[in-house]
Every structure is written in C-alpha cells, then in structure tokens.
mmCIF file of all heavy atoms in Angstrom:
data_model
loop_
_atom_site.group_PDB
_atom_site.id
_atom_site.type_symbol
_atom_site.label_atom_id
_atom_site.label_comp_id
_atom_site.label_asym_id
_atom_site.label_seq_id
_atom_site.Cartn_x
_atom_site.Cartn_y
_atom_site.Cartn_z
ATOM 1 N N HIS A 1195 -0.281 10.696 -4.774
ATOM 2 C CA HIS A 1195 0.305 10.955 -3.343
ATOM 3 C C HIS A 1195 -0.919 11.007 -2.534
ATOM 4 O O HIS A 1195 -1.752 12.057 -2.692
ATOM 5 C CB HIS A 1195 1.141 12.169 -3.311
ATOM 6 C CG HIS A 1195 2.462 12.019 -4.053
ATOM 7 N ND1 HIS A 1195 2.679 12.345 -5.397
ATOM 8 C CD2 HIS A 1195 3.677 11.627 -3.617
ATOM 9 C CE1 HIS A 1195 3.893 12.090 -5.668
ATOM 10 N NE2 HIS A 1195 4.502 11.602 -4.594
ATOM 11 N N ILE A 1196 -1.174 10.045 -1.708
ATOM 12 C CA ILE A 1196 -2.462 9.941 -0.946
ATOM 13 C C ILE A 1196 -2.204 10.183 0.543
ATOM 14 O O ILE A 1196 -1.335 9.507 1.109
ATOM 15 C CB ILE A 1196 -3.112 8.563 -1.256
ATOM 16 C CG1 ILE A 1196 -3.458 8.370 -2.648
ATOM 17 C CG2 ILE A 1196 -4.476 8.427 -0.319
ATOM 18 C CD1 ILE A 1196 -3.980 7.004 -2.919
ATOM 19 N N LEU A 1197 -2.881 11.051 1.081
ATOM 20 C CA LEU A 1197 -2.783 11.425 2.517
ATOM 21 C C LEU A 1197 -3.729 10.359 3.314
ATOM 22 O O LEU A 1197 -4.901 10.227 3.021
ATOM 23 C CB LEU A 1197 -3.259 12.758 2.849
ATOM 24 C CG LEU A 1197 -3.387 13.264 4.308
ATOM 25 C CD1 LEU A 1197 -1.866 13.267 4.895
ATOM 26 C CD2 LEU A 1197 -4.039 14.637 4.485
ATOM 27 N N ILE A 1198 -3.139 9.755 4.292
ATOM 28 C CA ILE A 1198 -3.874 8.789 5.174
ATOM 29 C C ILE A 1198 -4.779 9.644 6.216
ATOM 30 O O ILE A 1198 -4.236 10.546 6.903
ATOM 31 C CB ILE A 1198 -2.853 7.906 5.997
ATOM 32 C CG1 ILE A 1198 -2.034 7.152 5.094
ATOM 33 C CG2 ILE A 1198 -3.769 6.957 6.937
ATOM 34 C CD1 ILE A 1198 -2.751 6.156 4.155
ATOM 35 N N GLY A 1199 -6.013 9.471 6.060
ATOM 36 C CA GLY A 1199 -6.955 10.306 6.807
ATOM 37 C C GLY A 1199 -6.920 10.064 8.310
ATOM 38 O O GLY A 1199 -6.485 8.910 8.829
ATOM 39 N N SER A 1200 -7.476 10.968 9.039
ATOM 40 C CA SER A 1200 -7.455 10.847 10.501
ATOM 41 C C SER A 1200 -8.460 9.763 10.984
ATOM 42 O O SER A 1200 -8.444 9.298 12.112
ATOM 43 C CB SER A 1200 -7.895 12.198 11.156
ATOM 44 O OG SER A 1200 -9.215 12.606 10.611
ATOM 45 N N ASP A 1201 -9.384 9.286 10.067
ATOM 46 C CA ASP A 1201 -10.412 8.309 10.421
ATOM 47 C C ASP A 1201 -9.867 6.964 10.089
ATOM 48 O O ASP A 1201 -10.564 5.973 10.324
ATOM 49 C CB ASP A 1201 -11.634 8.599 9.697
ATOM 50 C CG ASP A 1201 -11.551 8.514 8.138
ATOM 51 O OD1 ASP A 1201 -10.349 8.783 7.730
ATOM 52 O OD2 ASP A 1201 -12.507 8.360 7.457
ATOM 53 N N GLU A 1202 -8.605 6.808 9.587
ATOM 54 C CA GLU A 1202 -8.045 5.622 9.267
ATOM 55 C C GLU A 1202 -7.067 5.100 10.325
ATOM 56 O O GLU A 1202 -6.147 5.739 10.634
ATOM 57 C CB GLU A 1202 -7.347 5.646 7.845
ATOM 58 C CG GLU A 1202 -8.260 5.964 6.815
ATOM 59 C CD GLU A 1202 -7.530 5.913 5.417
ATOM 60 O OE1 GLU A 1202 -7.401 4.823 4.802
ATOM 61 O OE2 GLU A 1202 -7.009 6.931 5.006
ATOM 62 N N ALA A 1203 -7.362 3.907 10.930
ATOM 63 C CA ALA A 1203 -6.509 3.390 12.029
ATOM 64 C C ALA A 1203 -5.141 2.931 11.501
ATOM 65 O O ALA A 1203 -4.987 2.670 10.280
ATOM 66 C CB ALA A 1203 -7.231 2.196 12.674
ATOM 67 N N GLU A 1204 -4.200 2.731 12.409
ATOM 68 C CA GLU A 1204 -2.926 2.137 12.020
ATOM 69 C C GLU A 1204 -3.128 0.846 11.421
ATOM 70 O O GLU A 1204 -4.007 0.046 11.899
ATOM 71 C CB GLU A 1204 -2.090 1.951 13.339
ATOM 72 C CG GLU A 1204 -0.747 1.275 13.132
ATOM 73 C CD GLU A 1204 -0.147 0.895 14.402
ATOM 74 O OE1 GLU A 1204 -0.586 1.233 15.438
ATOM 75 O OE2 GLU A 1204 0.809 0.001 14.383
ATOM 76 N N GLN A 1205 -2.382 0.500 10.315
ATOM 77 C CA GLN A 1205 -2.605 -0.838 9.639
ATOM 78 C C GLN A 1205 -1.465 -0.988 8.720
ATOM 79 O O GLN A 1205 -0.635 -0.105 8.503
ATOM 80 C CB GLN A 1205 -3.938 -0.740 8.836
ATOM 81 C CG GLN A 1205 -3.920 0.370 7.810
ATOM 82 C CD GLN A 1205 -5.290 0.594 7.183
ATOM 83 O OE1 GLN A 1205 -5.851 -0.334 6.531
ATOM 84 N NE2 GLN A 1205 -5.929 1.732 7.509
ATOM 85 N N ARG A 1206 -1.232 -2.169 8.253
ATOM 86 C CA ARG A 1206 -0.142 -2.496 7.345
ATOM 87 C C ARG A 1206 -0.441 -1.910 5.993
ATOM 88 O O ARG A 1206 -1.491 -1.900 5.546
ATOM 89 C CB ARG A 1206 -0.050 -4.080 7.167
ATOM 90 C CG ARG A 1206 0.537 -4.714 8.383
ATOM 91 C CD ARG A 1206 0.572 -6.171 8.266
ATOM 92 N NE ARG A 1206 1.126 -6.665 7.030
ATOM 93 C CZ ARG A 1206 2.046 -7.710 6.847
ATOM 94 N NH1 ARG A 1206 2.423 -8.281 8.040
ATOM 95 N NH2 ARG A 1206 2.488 -8.120 5.734
ATOM 96 N N ILE A 1207 0.616 -1.529 5.323
ATOM 97 C CA ILE A 1207 0.512 -0.886 3.984
ATOM 98 C C ILE A 1207 -0.094 -1.848 2.923
ATOM 99 O O ILE A 1207 -0.923 -1.471 2.176
ATOM 100 C CB ILE A 1207 1.943 -0.330 3.507
ATOM 101 C CG1 ILE A 1207 1.763 0.370 2.123
ATOM 102 C CG2 ILE A 1207 2.912 -1.535 3.430
ATOM 103 C CD1 ILE A 1207 0.940 1.689 2.266
ATOM 104 N N ASP A 1208 0.265 -3.122 3.079
ATOM 105 C CA ASP A 1208 -0.241 -4.030 1.937
ATOM 106 C C ASP A 1208 -1.869 -4.219 2.101
ATOM 107 O O ASP A 1208 -2.507 -4.269 1.091
ATOM 108 C CB ASP A 1208 0.406 -5.416 2.074
ATOM 109 C CG ASP A 1208 0.475 -6.055 3.298
ATOM 110 O OD1 ASP A 1208 -0.045 -5.370 4.375
ATOM 111 O OD2 ASP A 1208 1.027 -7.260 3.434
ATOM 112 N N ARG A 1209 -2.301 -4.306 3.381
ATOM 113 C CA ARG A 1209 -3.749 -4.408 3.503
ATOM 114 C C ARG A 1209 -4.491 -3.120 3.113
ATOM 115 O O ARG A 1209 -5.550 -3.157 2.511
ATOM 116 C CB ARG A 1209 -4.008 -4.724 5.007
ATOM 117 C CG ARG A 1209 -3.413 -6.083 5.378
ATOM 118 C CD ARG A 1209 -3.569 -6.315 6.817
ATOM 119 N NE ARG A 1209 -2.729 -7.399 7.299
ATOM 120 C CZ ARG A 1209 -2.317 -7.694 8.457
ATOM 121 N NH1 ARG A 1209 -2.727 -6.874 9.537
ATOM 122 N NH2 ARG A 1209 -1.534 -8.786 8.803
ATOM 123 N N TRP A 1210 -3.820 -1.956 3.310
ATOM 124 C CA TRP A 1210 -4.550 -0.764 2.982
ATOM 125 C C TRP A 1210 -4.539 -0.637 1.435
ATOM 126 O O TRP A 1210 -5.560 -0.216 0.884
ATOM 127 C CB TRP A 1210 -3.628 0.507 3.538
ATOM 128 C CG TRP A 1210 -4.132 1.791 3.154
ATOM 129 C CD1 TRP A 1210 -5.096 2.490 3.736
ATOM 130 C CD2 TRP A 1210 -3.747 2.658 1.976
ATOM 131 N NE1 TRP A 1210 -5.261 3.731 3.187
ATOM 132 C CE2 TRP A 1210 -4.395 3.803 2.083
ATOM 133 C CE3 TRP A 1210 -2.769 2.450 0.998
ATOM 134 C CZ2 TRP A 1210 -4.279 4.857 1.218
ATOM 135 C CZ3 TRP A 1210 -2.532 3.441 0.114
ATOM 136 C CH2 TRP A 1210 -3.302 4.628 0.141
ATOM 137 N N LEU A 1211 -3.521 -1.064 0.762
ATOM 138 C CA LEU A 1211 -3.489 -1.077 -0.655
ATOM 139 C C LEU A 1211 -4.534 -1.986 -1.346
ATOM 140 O O LEU A 1211 -5.121 -1.583 -2.259
ATOM 141 C CB LEU A 1211 -2.076 -1.419 -1.207
ATOM 142 C CG LEU A 1211 -0.974 -0.353 -0.972
ATOM 143 C CD1 LEU A 1211 0.429 -0.951 -1.220
ATOM 144 C CD2 LEU A 1211 -1.200 0.854 -2.025
ATOM 145 N N ARG A 1212 -4.581 -3.120 -0.739
ATOM 146 C CA ARG A 1212 -5.527 -4.148 -1.360
ATOM 147 C C ARG A 1212 -7.067 -3.786 -1.209
ATOM 148 O O ARG A 1212 -7.864 -4.034 -2.031
ATOM 149 C CB ARG A 1212 -5.323 -5.570 -0.776
ATOM 150 C CG ARG A 1212 -4.036 -6.160 -1.327
ATOM 151 C CD ARG A 1212 -4.069 -7.669 -1.202
ATOM 152 N NE ARG A 1212 -4.448 -8.091 0.184
ATOM 153 C CZ ARG A 1212 -3.679 -8.161 1.144
ATOM 154 N NH1 ARG A 1212 -2.411 -7.834 1.080
ATOM 155 N NH2 ARG A 1212 -4.121 -8.579 2.381
ATOM 156 N N ARG A 1213 -7.302 -3.081 -0.107
ATOM 157 C CA ARG A 1213 -8.648 -2.520 0.093
ATOM 158 C C ARG A 1213 -8.952 -1.379 -0.901
ATOM 159 O O ARG A 1213 -10.056 -1.175 -1.320
ATOM 160 C CB ARG A 1213 -8.826 -2.164 1.540
ATOM 161 C CG ARG A 1213 -9.085 -3.219 2.501
ATOM 162 C CD ARG A 1213 -9.704 -2.785 3.830
ATOM 163 N NE ARG A 1213 -8.681 -1.923 4.632
ATOM 164 C CZ ARG A 1213 -7.748 -2.412 5.420
ATOM 165 N NH1 ARG A 1213 -7.748 -3.715 5.592
ATOM 166 N NH2 ARG A 1213 -6.985 -1.623 5.990
ATOM 167 N N ARG A 1214 -7.879 -0.551 -1.109
ATOM 168 C CA ARG A 1214 -8.131 0.649 -1.953
ATOM 169 C C ARG A 1214 -8.073 0.273 -3.408
ATOM 170 O O ARG A 1214 -8.711 0.916 -4.283
ATOM 171 C CB ARG A 1214 -7.114 1.713 -1.513
ATOM 172 C CG ARG A 1214 -7.468 3.051 -1.942
ATOM 173 C CD ARG A 1214 -6.609 4.125 -1.303
ATOM 174 N NE ARG A 1214 -7.084 5.458 -1.542
ATOM 175 C CZ ARG A 1214 -7.508 6.219 -0.681
ATOM 176 N NH1 ARG A 1214 -7.629 5.910 0.598
ATOM 177 N NH2 ARG A 1214 -7.861 7.488 -0.960
ATOM 178 N N PHE A 1215 -7.231 -0.651 -3.818
ATOM 179 C CA PHE A 1215 -7.038 -0.991 -5.185
ATOM 180 C C PHE A 1215 -7.295 -2.476 -5.324
ATOM 181 O O PHE A 1215 -6.240 -3.274 -5.182
ATOM 182 C CB PHE A 1215 -5.577 -0.570 -5.632
ATOM 183 C CG PHE A 1215 -5.297 0.813 -5.416
ATOM 184 C CD1 PHE A 1215 -4.405 1.160 -4.315
ATOM 185 C CD2 PHE A 1215 -5.712 1.830 -6.272
ATOM 186 C CE1 PHE A 1215 -4.071 2.526 -4.129
ATOM 187 C CE2 PHE A 1215 -5.420 3.224 -6.052
ATOM 188 C CZ PHE A 1215 -4.522 3.485 -4.948
ATOM 189 N N THR A 1216 -8.459 -2.850 -5.594
ATOM 190 C CA THR A 1216 -8.946 -4.280 -5.506
ATOM 191 C C THR A 1216 -8.230 -5.150 -6.686
ATOM 192 O O THR A 1216 -8.389 -6.353 -6.492
ATOM 193 C CB THR A 1216 -10.458 -4.352 -5.653
ATOM 194 O OG1 THR A 1216 -10.850 -3.759 -6.906
ATOM 195 C CG2 THR A 1216 -11.081 -3.656 -4.487
ATOM 196 N N ASN A 1217 -7.645 -4.529 -7.632
ATOM 197 C CA ASN A 1217 -7.048 -5.373 -8.679
ATOM 198 C C ASN A 1217 -5.658 -5.651 -8.541
ATOM 199 O O ASN A 1217 -4.998 -6.170 -9.373
ATOM 200 C CB ASN A 1217 -7.347 -4.790 -10.113
ATOM 201 C CG ASN A 1217 -6.639 -3.317 -10.209
ATOM 202 O OD1 ASN A 1217 -6.243 -2.786 -9.255
ATOM 203 N ND2 ASN A 1217 -6.366 -3.018 -11.450
ATOM 204 N N ILE A 1218 -5.052 -5.266 -7.376
ATOM 205 C CA ILE A 1218 -3.590 -5.506 -7.109
ATOM 206 C C ILE A 1218 -3.407 -6.686 -6.234
ATOM 207 O O ILE A 1218 -4.234 -6.866 -5.268
ATOM 208 C CB ILE A 1218 -2.976 -4.185 -6.583
ATOM 209 C CG1 ILE A 1218 -1.454 -4.365 -6.569
ATOM 210 C CG2 ILE A 1218 -3.487 -3.888 -5.172
ATOM 211 C CD1 ILE A 1218 -0.704 -3.063 -6.213
ATOM 212 N N SER A 1219 -2.484 -7.475 -6.469
ATOM 213 C CA SER A 1219 -2.224 -8.686 -5.725
ATOM 214 C C SER A 1219 -1.092 -8.458 -4.694
ATOM 215 O O SER A 1219 -0.351 -7.494 -4.795
ATOM 216 C CB SER A 1219 -1.764 -9.869 -6.629
ATOM 217 O OG SER A 1219 -0.505 -9.639 -7.043
ATOM 218 N N GLN A 1220 -1.019 -9.389 -3.706
ATOM 219 C CA GLN A 1220 -0.008 -9.290 -2.733
ATOM 220 C C GLN A 1220 1.401 -9.345 -3.371
ATOM 221 O O GLN A 1220 2.376 -8.586 -2.949
ATOM 222 C CB GLN A 1220 -0.139 -10.414 -1.656
ATOM 223 C CG GLN A 1220 0.869 -10.453 -0.587
ATOM 224 C CD GLN A 1220 0.710 -9.302 0.395
ATOM 225 O OE1 GLN A 1220 -0.364 -8.670 0.591
ATOM 226 N NE2 GLN A 1220 1.809 -8.949 1.146
ATOM 227 N N ILE A 1221 1.639 -10.180 -4.308
ATOM 228 C CA ILE A 1221 2.955 -10.308 -4.920
ATOM 229 C C ILE A 1221 3.343 -9.067 -5.585
ATOM 230 O O ILE A 1221 4.493 -8.610 -5.616
ATOM 231 C CB ILE A 1221 2.974 -11.482 -5.943
ATOM 232 C CG1 ILE A 1221 2.764 -12.812 -5.159
ATOM 233 C CG2 ILE A 1221 4.185 -11.548 -6.763
ATOM 234 C CD1 ILE A 1221 2.608 -14.067 -6.066
ATOM 235 N N GLN A 1222 2.373 -8.416 -6.279
ATOM 236 C CA GLN A 1222 2.679 -7.155 -7.060
ATOM 237 C C GLN A 1222 2.987 -6.008 -5.935
ATOM 238 O O GLN A 1222 3.941 -5.232 -6.198
ATOM 239 C CB GLN A 1222 1.423 -6.774 -7.866
ATOM 240 C CG GLN A 1222 1.167 -7.668 -9.043
ATOM 241 C CD GLN A 1222 -0.142 -7.494 -9.709
ATOM 242 O OE1 GLN A 1222 -1.075 -7.030 -9.056
ATOM 243 N NE2 GLN A 1222 -0.217 -7.844 -11.004
ATOM 244 N N ILE A 1223 2.399 -6.054 -4.825
ATOM 245 C CA ILE A 1223 2.613 -5.010 -3.854
ATOM 246 C C ILE A 1223 4.096 -5.190 -3.355
ATOM 247 O O ILE A 1223 4.788 -4.251 -3.185
ATOM 248 C CB ILE A 1223 1.749 -5.171 -2.663
ATOM 249 C CG1 ILE A 1223 0.239 -4.703 -3.095
ATOM 250 C CG2 ILE A 1223 2.128 -4.363 -1.428
ATOM 251 C CD1 ILE A 1223 -0.841 -5.003 -2.020
ATOM 252 N N GLU A 1224 4.457 -6.474 -3.078
ATOM 253 C CA GLU A 1224 5.765 -6.694 -2.571
ATOM 254 C C GLU A 1224 6.920 -6.382 -3.545
ATOM 255 O O GLU A 1224 7.937 -5.821 -3.233
ATOM 256 C CB GLU A 1224 5.930 -8.177 -2.141
ATOM 257 C CG GLU A 1224 5.028 -8.547 -1.088
ATOM 258 C CD GLU A 1224 5.290 -9.919 -0.402
ATOM 259 O OE1 GLU A 1224 6.376 -10.468 -0.796
ATOM 260 O OE2 GLU A 1224 4.561 -10.368 0.478
ATOM 261 N N LYS A 1225 6.549 -6.530 -4.864
ATOM 262 C CA LYS A 1225 7.559 -6.178 -5.851
ATOM 263 C C LYS A 1225 7.721 -4.671 -5.980
ATOM 264 O O LYS A 1225 8.774 -4.112 -6.048
ATOM 265 C CB LYS A 1225 7.116 -6.650 -7.277
ATOM 266 C CG LYS A 1225 7.266 -8.173 -7.483
ATOM 267 C CD LYS A 1225 6.890 -8.655 -8.833
ATOM 268 C CE LYS A 1225 7.085 -10.145 -9.075
ATOM 269 N NZ LYS A 1225 6.675 -10.535 -10.379
ATOM 270 N N LEU A 1226 6.593 -3.966 -5.915
ATOM 271 C CA LEU A 1226 6.635 -2.525 -5.961
ATOM 272 C C LEU A 1226 7.322 -1.882 -4.723
ATOM 273 O O LEU A 1226 8.118 -0.890 -4.895
ATOM 274 C CB LEU A 1226 5.143 -1.939 -6.049
ATOM 275 C CG LEU A 1226 4.483 -2.253 -7.389
ATOM 276 C CD1 LEU A 1226 2.947 -1.768 -7.268
ATOM 277 C CD2 LEU A 1226 5.106 -1.520 -8.548
ATOM 278 N N CYS A 1227 7.167 -2.567 -3.610
ATOM 279 C CA CYS A 1227 7.829 -2.105 -2.412
ATOM 280 C C CYS A 1227 9.398 -2.365 -2.429
ATOM 281 O O CYS A 1227 10.196 -1.474 -2.198
ATOM 282 C CB CYS A 1227 7.375 -2.765 -1.120
ATOM 283 S SG CYS A 1227 5.665 -2.257 -0.635
ATOM 284 N N ARG A 1228 9.757 -3.494 -2.969
ATOM 285 C CA ARG A 1228 11.178 -3.841 -3.108
ATOM 286 C C ARG A 1228 11.839 -2.870 -4.064
ATOM 287 O O ARG A 1228 13.020 -2.529 -4.010
ATOM 288 C CB ARG A 1228 11.330 -5.287 -3.697
ATOM 289 C CG ARG A 1228 11.191 -6.316 -2.618
ATOM 290 C CD ARG A 1228 11.781 -7.574 -3.044
ATOM 291 N NE ARG A 1228 11.214 -8.204 -4.233
ATOM 292 C CZ ARG A 1228 10.109 -8.912 -4.306
ATOM 293 N NH1 ARG A 1228 9.474 -9.272 -3.257
ATOM 294 N NH2 ARG A 1228 9.719 -9.349 -5.516
ATOM 295 N N LYS A 1229 11.138 -2.461 -5.168
ATOM 296 C CA LYS A 1229 11.773 -1.606 -6.135
ATOM 297 C C LYS A 1229 11.703 -0.053 -5.770
ATOM 298 O O LYS A 1229 12.144 0.798 -6.447
ATOM 299 C CB LYS A 1229 11.026 -1.749 -7.520
ATOM 300 C CG LYS A 1229 11.216 -3.096 -8.201
ATOM 301 C CD LYS A 1229 10.421 -3.176 -9.461
ATOM 302 C CE LYS A 1229 10.682 -4.509 -10.098
ATOM 303 N NZ LYS A 1229 9.990 -4.704 -11.426
ATOM 304 N N GLY A 1230 11.029 0.184 -4.540
ATOM 305 C CA GLY A 1230 10.898 1.557 -4.142
ATOM 306 C C GLY A 1230 9.880 2.388 -4.734
ATOM 307 O O GLY A 1230 9.900 3.621 -4.601
ATOM 308 N N GLN A 1231 8.978 1.746 -5.439
ATOM 309 C CA GLN A 1231 7.962 2.519 -6.244
ATOM 310 C C GLN A 1231 6.762 2.969 -5.310
ATOM 311 O O GLN A 1231 6.075 3.840 -5.603
ATOM 312 C CB GLN A 1231 7.409 1.679 -7.394
ATOM 313 C CG GLN A 1231 8.473 1.486 -8.488
ATOM 314 C CD GLN A 1231 7.978 0.739 -9.723
ATOM 315 O OE1 GLN A 1231 6.949 1.098 -10.314
ATOM 316 N NE2 GLN A 1231 8.542 -0.323 -10.161
ATOM 317 N N ILE A 1232 6.635 2.125 -4.193
ATOM 318 C CA ILE A 1232 5.626 2.618 -3.199
ATOM 319 C C ILE A 1232 6.380 3.183 -1.986
ATOM 320 O O ILE A 1232 7.288 2.421 -1.592
ATOM 321 C CB ILE A 1232 4.746 1.407 -2.780
ATOM 322 C CG1 ILE A 1232 3.858 0.937 -3.894
ATOM 323 C CG2 ILE A 1232 3.837 1.831 -1.592
ATOM 324 C CD1 ILE A 1232 2.978 -0.329 -3.588
ATOM 325 N N ARG A 1233 6.096 4.351 -1.677
ATOM 326 C CA ARG A 1233 6.894 4.921 -0.549
ATOM 327 C C ARG A 1233 5.997 5.575 0.492
ATOM 328 O O ARG A 1233 4.825 6.007 0.167
ATOM 329 C CB ARG A 1233 7.833 5.975 -1.132
ATOM 330 C CG ARG A 1233 9.025 5.421 -1.912
ATOM 331 C CD ARG A 1233 9.867 6.403 -2.568
ATOM 332 N NE ARG A 1233 11.008 5.823 -3.288
ATOM 333 C CZ ARG A 1233 12.307 5.731 -2.816
ATOM 334 N NH1 ARG A 1233 12.526 6.302 -1.745
ATOM 335 N NH2 ARG A 1233 13.216 5.214 -3.570
ATOM 336 N N VAL A 1234 6.500 5.766 1.682
ATOM 337 C CA VAL A 1234 5.656 6.458 2.694
ATOM 338 C C VAL A 1234 6.546 7.706 3.151
ATOM 339 O O VAL A 1234 7.710 7.421 3.670
ATOM 340 C CB VAL A 1234 5.410 5.543 3.925
ATOM 341 C CG1 VAL A 1234 4.762 6.320 5.034
ATOM 342 C CG2 VAL A 1234 4.530 4.351 3.453
ATOM 343 N N ASN A 1235 5.969 8.861 3.074
ATOM 344 C CA ASN A 1235 6.734 10.066 3.417
ATOM 345 C C ASN A 1235 8.047 10.167 2.786
ATOM 346 O O ASN A 1235 9.030 10.594 3.242
ATOM 347 C CB ASN A 1235 6.841 10.206 4.923
ATOM 348 C CG ASN A 1235 5.530 10.557 5.595
ATOM 349 O OD1 ASN A 1235 4.556 10.896 5.064
ATOM 350 N ND2 ASN A 1235 5.515 10.458 6.929
ATOM 351 N N GLY A 1236 8.098 9.601 1.523
ATOM 352 C CA GLY A 1236 9.252 9.658 0.730
ATOM 353 C C GLY A 1236 10.349 8.593 0.970
ATOM 354 O O GLY A 1236 11.270 8.492 0.237
ATOM 355 N N GLY A 1237 9.973 7.773 1.935
ATOM 356 C CA GLY A 1237 10.994 6.701 2.316
ATOM 357 C C GLY A 1237 10.591 5.347 1.800
ATOM 358 O O GLY A 1237 9.442 5.045 1.643
#
C-alpha cells in the first residue's frame, strides 16, 4: 500500500506504475486493473 507523495504531480496510474515497476507491461497493468487487484483508496 503506497502513499502518493506531495511531490508527485497528478498523473495516470499506468504511467506511475511503469515508472515505479520497470518490469511490468501496459497489458499486465490493464489486466490487474480489470480484476480489481490494483486499487486507489480501496476502489
């Protein structure tokens, strides 16, 4: 559970994930979002 810091500007979740986890692909991100495995504030 990662807190978005005050020094991080508004941005898309997929771009934030790919910068933070360089071995994850766009397709994998979309699958994880569809399955509800990646969530923001529980949603």
Side-chain angles (χ1 to χ4, degrees):
H1195 292 86
I1196 301 176
L1197 175 67
I1198 302 299
S1200 58
D1201 59 338
E1202 296 184 88
E1204 173 193 349
Q1205 56 191 296
R1206 285 174 53 133
I1207 182 68
D1208 53 357
R1209 296 171 194 165
W1210 180 85
L1211 285 164
R1212 289 201 310 276
R1213 283 195 293 273
R1214 199 166 188 116
F1215 306 102
T1216 58
N1217 65 337
I1218 190 172
S1219 72
Q1220 179 71 22
I1221 292 176
Q1222 291 165 337
I1223 291 172
E1224 295 193 10
K1225 286 182 179 178
L1226 291 172
C1227 288
R1228 285 198 300 271
K1229 293 179 179 179
Q1231 295 187 50
I1232 297 176
R1233 293 175 177 256
V1234 175
N1235 286 351

